Every structure is written in C-alpha cells, then in structure tokens.
Amino acid sequence: GATPDLRRLFATFMVVAVALVGVEVLWQPRFATLLGGTSRATQTFGYVVVAMSLGAGLGAWLADRLPGSLAHRPARVGSLALAGAAGAMVMLASADTFAVAVAAFVAVYTTGAMRSVVEAELLHDRVPSSHRATMVSVQSLSEQLGNVIAGLTLTRVAAAAGIPAAWLIGAGLLVLAAVLVLAIRES
C-alpha cells in the first residue's frame, strides 16, 4: 500500500492539476479581454507562450541549483514553490493590465516548474526503482483526474463568476497543495 507520504504526494498532483488546468484553459480568453480584442491577442499569444516556456525553463534550472540547506529540503522547497505559485495566481486573478497578467502568468509557470522538479525528487526518493514506472503512471492518473475535475468545475465557475474567480479558487488549491507537501517527511 501507499505510505502517507505517497498519498499526500498523489493528492498534491491532483490538486495542482486542478489549479493549473484552470490557468491553461482560461488564460487566452482573459488575456484577449485585457488586450481589447482577439485580433490583437492572437498576434501576441505566441510571445506569451515563449515567455511562459522560458519561465518554466528558469524554474527547473533554479530547482536544480538550490543553495545550501535548501538543496536537501525538497518538501520545504516544493511547499514554498506552491505558495509562490498561489501568490502568482492571486496576482493573475487581480491583474487589470496585460503586462501584469503576463508577469503573473510567467511566475505561475516558473514556480510550477520548480515544484515539478522537487515533487519528482520526492516521488523518486520514496519509490524503489522496481515500482517507479507504476508510480509515474499513478501520478499521471492523479493529474488526469485533476484535469477532469477542473473541466467540470473551474470552467463553470469562470462562466458564472468570471475567470478571476476561478483563478482565486486555483490559488486556494495551491495553498492546500503547499500544506500537503510541507507535511511530507524529508529524508
């Protein structure tokens, strides 16, 4: 059976997927609104995706170069990255200009990549190599469940109360995920 740490980790994968799918599905319509129309937005979205990709690359790079004691505290780093992502989502939800929204969007992906690297380390440390492929499949299933939940809930919240409301719920979910990760024992 799964240890309490693994259960927390898989719950984290699912909760984070719900929050981040809300960003992935809803950023284009929100950014189009901030830009004042879809024709201008379409031309700009390519640059936004490049910035997001660079941010994600930076986050992964930073996660592999943690200084001092942080390098040996993956649960703490994961929790801090999730808290940072929650803050970035609050900033994204409250952004009333395109520039602020893009900065927050990139920050969500930068902190998300940091979280992803340290969560992979946490999973790797808790699963013997003979079971790792199975656990990665369980991770994928957890994330797919999160995708389904997001599709059934956050998109409806966005339609009823606005995209920022859905993102604020996502930020709350990221705080929950930060608490879950912080509860994981560090070896």
Side-chain angles (χ1 to χ4, degrees):
T3 67
D5 282 347
L6 283 175
R7 284 193 294 273
R8 285 183 195 99
L9 203 49
F10 290 125
T12 299
F13 295 146
M14 184 186 65
V15 168
V16 168
V18 173
L20 294 184
V21 166
V23 173
E24 291 171 10
V25 170
L26 300 170
W27 75 270
Q28 290 184 5
R30 178 68 180 146
F31 284 21
T33 299
L34 290 173
L35 284 169
T38 54
S39 64
R40 185 170 170 213
T42 302
Q43 298 168 3
T44 309
F45 285 170
Y47 297 113
V48 173
V49 171
V50 168
M52 177 266 298
S53 300
L54 291 172
L58 175 64
W61 183 82
L62 289 171
D64 281 338
R65 286 157 185 78
L66 293 170
S69 65
L70 281 179
H72 307 290
R73 307 293 302 265
R76 182 167 291 170
V77 171
S79 184
L80 289 171
L82 284 160
M89 279 189 74
V90 169
M91 189 171 116
L92 181 59
S94 61
D96 56 0
T97 67
F98 177 74
V100 172
V102 169
F105 182 72
V106 170
V108 167
Y109 280 90
T110 302
T111 54
M114 288 185 75
R115 168 211 48 89
S116 184
V117 169
V118 296
E119 284 175 1
E121 180 181 334
L122 288 166
L123 182 62
H124 179 86
D125 288 348
R126 280 152 186 79
V127 177
S129 59
S130 60
H131 294 97
R132 215 163 277 141
T134 302
M135 290 298 109
V136 169
S137 294
V138 173
Q139 175 184 358
S140 179
L141 288 172
S142 299
E143 291 168 346
Q144 290 304 317
L145 178 58
N147 294 345
V148 169
I149 292 168
L152 294 173
T153 59
L154 290 185
T155 54
R156 289 186 175 146
V157 168
I163 293 171
W167 286 342
L168 289 174
I169 291 169
L173 291 171
L174 291 175
V175 170
L176 171 62
V179 171
L180 286 169
V181 170
L182 193 57
I184 295 173
R185 289 177 296 110
E186 292 182 318
S187 14

